[in-house]
Amino acid sequence: MNANRFKSYLKVNYKWFVILMVIALLFVWGGYGLAYLVYFPVSLIFGHYRYQYSREELARLKAKGLTEEDVENIRFVKEWENARKRGMWDYCIINGGFLYGLAISIVTSTIMLLCTGKDIRDGMEVFGGMFSFIGYNYIIGATIGVIIFRRVWKQNERRFLNVTDPLAGNYLAADFKDL
C-alpha cells in the first residue's frame, strides 16, 4: 500500500520532478552536481511524507464532513486575524517591503544590468558604486513590494469579510473597481 501512495505522489507531482531534473542537469553542468545529488533525494523523501500527511488529513476532514475549501478558509481566517492585529502598514512594510522587496530587488537589478548593457563587475570596481547599486535596487524593490502588498491587503480584507460574513456579498464582483 505504501508503494501505491508513492506512485500516487509521483503521478501528482511529475511536473515538479521534470523541473527539478532540468535544474539538476544545470547544476551538474555548472559543477555543483554533488550537492544537488544529495538535495534531490532528500527533497523527494520529504515531499512524499508531506503528500502522505496531506492525504491523511484530507481523509480525516472528509470523515468530519469538511471539504478542502473549508479547511483553506479556516486556515486563511486564522492567519489573516493575526495579520490584521499587526496592522496594514506593518503587514505591507514587513512582508512586502522587507521580505518580498529583497526578491524584487534581485529582479530589478538583473533588469537594470540587462538594460544598461554593463557587467556586474563594472559597478563593483568602485566600492561606493556597489553599495549604491544594491541600495537603489533594494529601495525600488521594497517600494514595489509595499505597493503590491497594499493591494493584497485590500483583497484579503474582502475575502476575510466574505468568509466570516457570507451575507456581505460577493467580494470578487464589483469590489475590485477601487483597487
Side-chain angles (χ1 to χ4, degrees), residues 161-162 164-170:
L161 291 174
N162 190 42
T164 56
D165 184 15
L167 299 176
N170 187 1

